[in-house]
Amino acid sequence: MTRFLLKCFALLTLLLFGVLLGMQLSNEGMNQIKGYDDSSFKEALEWSANDESWEATVLGEEWSEERLLEKQKAYEEATSGHFISEAGAKAGEAFYTVVNQLLRLVTGT
């Protein structure tokens, strides 16, 4: 029995070592393929800030504070005036209230 357990332990140790070695080799291979060591690549995010505003370059696309505020305003306009979503939210609240009152009535609390 002891001999069997020693063989199992040795086999598991060998397999664990193999898995760890494989993970290390694949990590090194992925870094070579992606070219992380190449200095010609630009950073994904470049940031500069002044006293009154900021600018960022995300994957080569320029972003400024004004542009972000314009996009935020457009998003708020697009999501604020939907009659169907407002009606659905009110119907959901009403349904919740009715079910809650019915459960209180049935349980007696």
Side-chain angles (χ1 to χ4, degrees), residues 64-77:
S64 64
E65 189 173 3
E66 295 83 24
R67 182 177 177 194
L68 186 64
L69 291 174
E70 288 173 5
K71 288 194 174 283
Q72 182 180 5
K73 184 178 178 183
Y75 173 74
E76 288 173 356
E77 289 174 359

Side-chain angles (χ1 to χ4, degrees), residues 15-59:
L15 290 174
L16 179 64
F17 178 74
V19 167
L20 293 176
L21 181 67
M23 289 173 69
Q24 179 64 30
L25 289 175
S26 68
N27 184 32
E28 290 174 4
M30 292 298 288
N31 285 341
Q32 275 185 334
I33 289 172
K34 288 183 180 178
Y36 284 130
D37 298 331
D38 193 358
S39 62
S40 66
F41 290 127
K42 294 182 180 179
E43 292 188 25
L45 175 67
E46 295 178 11
W47 184 271
S48 64
N50 299 341
D51 291 335
E52 58 230 18
S53 67
W54 55 266
E55 290 184 2
T57 304
V58 180
L59 297 176

Side-chain angles (χ1 to χ4, degrees), residues 75-96:
Y75 173 74
E76 288 173 356
E77 289 174 359
T79 59
S80 65
H82 294 304
F83 171 74
I84 294 174
S85 64
E86 291 175 8
K90 289 186 181 192
E93 289 175 14
F95 181 75
Y96 174 78

